[in-house]
Amino acid sequence: MLNGSKTNITVLGGGFGGLEAAFYLRMKLEDRANITLVSDRDYFLFKPNTIYIPFGLDPDKLKVGLQRPTRRKNIAFVEDRAREIDPDARTVSTEGGRKIPHDFLVVATGADMRPEEVPGLKENAQTIWTPREMLRLRLALYDLIEAARRGEHKRVLFLVAPNNKCAGPLYELVFMLDTHLRRKKVRANVDLTWSTYEQTYIQAFGPRLHEVVTGEFERRVVAGHTEYAAEKVESGEVHYTNGETLPYDLLITFSPYVAEVDYPTLPGDDRGFVETELGTRQVVGHPDVYAVGDAGNFPVKQAFLAFLQADAAAEHISSRVLGVEPELAFEPTSMCVMEQFDKATFAQVPLRLTGVPERPIEVDPDAPEAYKVGSYPAWRLGKKMLAYYLPFRFGLGNPFHAGVPWKGMEAGLKAMSGLLAK
Ligand SMILES: Cc1cc2nc3c(=O)[nH]c(=O)nc-3n(C[C@H](O)[C@H](O)[C@H](O)COP(=O)(O)OP(=O)(O)OC[C@H]3O[C@@H](n4cnc5c(N)ncnc54)[C@H](O)[C@@H]3O)c2cc1C
């Protein structure tokens, strides 16, 4: 212990995983630990709702300042960029020249995009990742609608690139764009085409989501293509490894994933994602270092999974500090609500690692009762509730996925999914 009898815990990253871990640790350990949060920006970004930016949402509405909640919970907030971890010396070096010591470390610095993996993608496509890219897409959609209003015929091609680890948001965007164009009365002048490297639509979430997407593509007249892995992109057309070529006037893509920060002193896969023990999120070979959320090597990258991982890591650390058994471990059940503007699709998906590199994840066949899917307009309300609940919890310095309010949310979701999903 570095400071008297208190345990020193450092959390890297002020996103879903980092904040959930820091606030959960404070809730569990009360004043038994010094907690430091290091983040390269002074706000949390509610990334899932950046899908609304191309359709007019102000990006500032998705930010939660970090000063107030960290002060409230007596968490030292350091605005700086983590650069290197020395697991033996138990320190983190930052770009600002700090050396921050710890007893336990939680790495939650998230993921980044590498469009350069597909030649021509970066130069020719609208990419979705940051609010800035979403604003750029807003301008492109504005131009598209103006051209369609003038009577021009336009082709929009969507592309999930190989090694993308969270295809869901691009599926949301194709459905949302279809509804939006219909409402603007220009859908007849715009062809929508979908292409993905996946073998089935939203492959990680199994056959039920594939069925939903297939039905939606039919209803919305979207031409869909699976097993189309992009090989190179040229102005006006995409070439795929299966020999096919698809034309476009506007190309919208979700790029290959890599880790936001590569930590050479920690074991990582070929994309820099930190190797972890599944249940505890401990980094392999470094039991006092944990990795949660997009930064870790779990093959699906999702905010809800980041919460579950952060809770598991924080529970494990606090149980070690308190000398008790942990009450929970990471059990990968994904939960999401996919926006479509005219309705939304709820999915709860129990996942299982397969150990097969080409298809690392599958729906857990031993938990069929937990696999639930439903598409109704009422699910849009679920998405809206989350948009209020999450900033409310984080704004007060409380974990999202714990405590009495979550029990209430969970009960609400259970009731809704009992009626509106099967
Ligand atoms: C458009 C879009 C829509 C999505 N929709 C959904 C959805 O509907 N449901 C869902 O579950 N998931 C969704 N996701 C995925 C979800 O946003 C991510 O899985 C989630 O943000 C991961 O949380 P995280 O804490 O690991 O990373 P992040 O939320 O990215 O947080 C990482 C944090 O680390 C900070 N950081 C980065 N580098 C450093 C450094 N060197 N030092 C210090 N701090 C650093 C960053 O500033 C950031 O605060 C969506 C993603 C996108 C892009």
Side-chain angles (χ1 to χ4, degrees):
M1 308 297 143
L2 298 159
N3 182 0
S5 60
K6 286 197 184 184
T7 304
N8 289 280
I9 306 170
T10 301
V11 177
L12 306 180
F16 287 86
L19 292 190
E20 179 76 1
F23 298 152
Y24 190 106
L25 282 162
R26 179 55 81 219
M27 181 186 79
K28 276 277 177 161
L29 292 173
E30 299 178 332
D31 61 358
R32 291 183 191 84
N34 299 311
I35 301 174
T36 302
L37 175 72
V38 182
S39 193
D40 62 347
R41 55 184 185 217
D42 65 354
Y43 60 88
F44 162 81
L45 175 69
F46 192 174
K47 231 183 233 178
N49 281 16
T50 58
I51 52 166
Y52 296 107
I53 296 173
F55 303 96
L57 180 75
D58 174 359
D60 284 343
K61 295 233 159 85
L62 300 174
K63 294 176 183 172
V64 179
L66 294 181
Q67 297 286 0
R68 194 171 82 110
T70 49
R71 214 176 23 242
R72 199 168 181 267
K73 294 292 168 171
N74 193 22
I75 292 170
F77 174 53
V78 177
E79 189 179 342
D80 203 343
R81 242 187 112 69
R83 204 162 39 91
E84 270 173 28
I85 296 169
D86 184 336
D88 300 322
R90 293 167 182 264
T91 55
V92 174
S93 309
T94 68
E95 278 186 5
R98 294 178 171 91
K99 204 163 247 196
I100 302 169
H102 58 260
D103 298 309
F104 294 105
L105 178 67
V106 180
V107 178
T109 40
D112 196 8
M113 299 284 103
R114 198 158 63 193
E116 298 83 356
E117 279 181 28
V118 180
L121 189 62
K122 192 178 162 78
E123 298 79 359
N124 291 295
Q126 292 286 335
T127 47
I128 61 159
W129 184 242
T130 62
R132 186 189 288 261
E133 287 166 272
M134 291 299 200
L135 283 169
R136 197 166 72 109
L137 178 57
R138 184 195 290 180
L139 293 179
L141 295 185
Y142 178 83
D143 287 346
L144 174 81
I145 290 167
E146 285 306 299
R149 278 198 177 125
R150 289 193 300 271
E152 293 173 31
H153 199 91
K154 292 286 175 189
R155 298 158 304 179
V156 181
L157 176 60
F158 287 82
L159 166 64
V160 183
N163 286 307
N164 181 279
K165 311 273 181 193
C166 173
L170 199 66
Y171 285 88
E172 289 184 293
L173 282 172
V174 68
F175 297 142
M176 292 163 81
L177 181 59
D178 169 67
T179 310
H180 186 68
L181 294 174
R182 285 175 200 279
R183 289 179 181 164
K184 297 280 178 198
K185 306 205 179 331
V186 292
R187 180 67 175 87
N189 281 351
V190 181
D191 287 344
L192 296 182
T193 303
W194 179 267
S195 63
T196 177
Y197 76 97
E198 302 163 293
Q199 289 160 344
T200 56
Y201 299 128
I202 320 192
Q203 183 172 340
F205 289 175
R208 311 247 338 250
L209 266 293
H210 177 77
E211 260 171 51
V212 167
V213 174
T214 305
E216 286 299 322
F217 280 178
E218 264 170 41
R219 180 172 82 88
R220 296 173 188 272
V221 195
V222 176
H225 304 280
T226 53
E227 299 189 84
Y228 270 48
E231 188 172 42
K232 65 175 178 177
V233 180
E234 292 178 338
S235 171
E237 57 187 20
V238 178
H239 300 272
Y240 298 88
T241 54
N242 60 6
E244 298 289 342
T245 298
L246 290 174
Y248 68 85
D249 298 304
L250 172 62
L251 178 64
I252 306 175
T253 192
F254 207 0
S255 302
Y257 266 59
V258 288
E260 164 71 29
V261 186
D262 196 4
Y263 298 103
T265 53
L266 301 181
D269 65 15
D270 56 340
R271 307 197 151 255
F273 295 119
V274 181
E275 281 176 28
T276 52
E277 306 291 348
L278 179 68
T280 62
R281 313 315 297 156
Q282 283 166 298
V283 174
V284 173
H286 299 285
D288 299 336
V289 183
Y290 296 71
V292 304
D294 287 6
N297 66 342
F298 194 74
V300 180
K301 312 287 180 199
Q302 256 213 324
F304 191 74
L305 294 172
F307 285 139
L308 298 183
Q309 293 173 21
D311 293 347
E315 174 67 23
H316 201 259
I317 294 170
S318 48
S319 69
R320 287 173 71 188
V321 173
L322 298 172
V324 297
E325 282 301 307
E327 287 170 15
L328 57 91
F330 174 53
E331 287 173 20
T333 291
S334 169
M335 209 189 272
C336 64
V337 181
M338 279 176 54
E339 178 65 277
Q340 301 171 28
F341 275 157
D342 52 357
K343 61 177 173 173
T345 297
F346 167 83
Q348 176 183 286
V349 189
L351 296 168
R352 185 169 85 165
L353 293 175
T354 61
V356 181
E358 304 77 50
R359 204 187 167 120
I361 199 93
E362 66 181 8
V363 177
D364 186 349
D366 297 330
E369 71 296 338
Y371 188 22
K372 291 189 168 185
V373 178
S375 291
Y376 290 96
W379 278 116
R380 296 198 66 216
L381 196 65
K383 188 111 182 158
K384 285 210 165 76
M385 268 160 53
L386 285 174
Y388 286 108
Y389 176 74
L390 176 70
F392 163 70
R393 291 291 286 174
F394 276 1
L396 291 175
N398 293 319
F400 167 86
H401 188 245
V404 177
W406 172 253
K407 294 256 175 287
M409 274 289 286
E410 204 171 30
L413 277 171
K414 256 198 189 126
M416 265 183 90
S417 62
L419 290 170
L420 302 175
K422 38 183 177 46

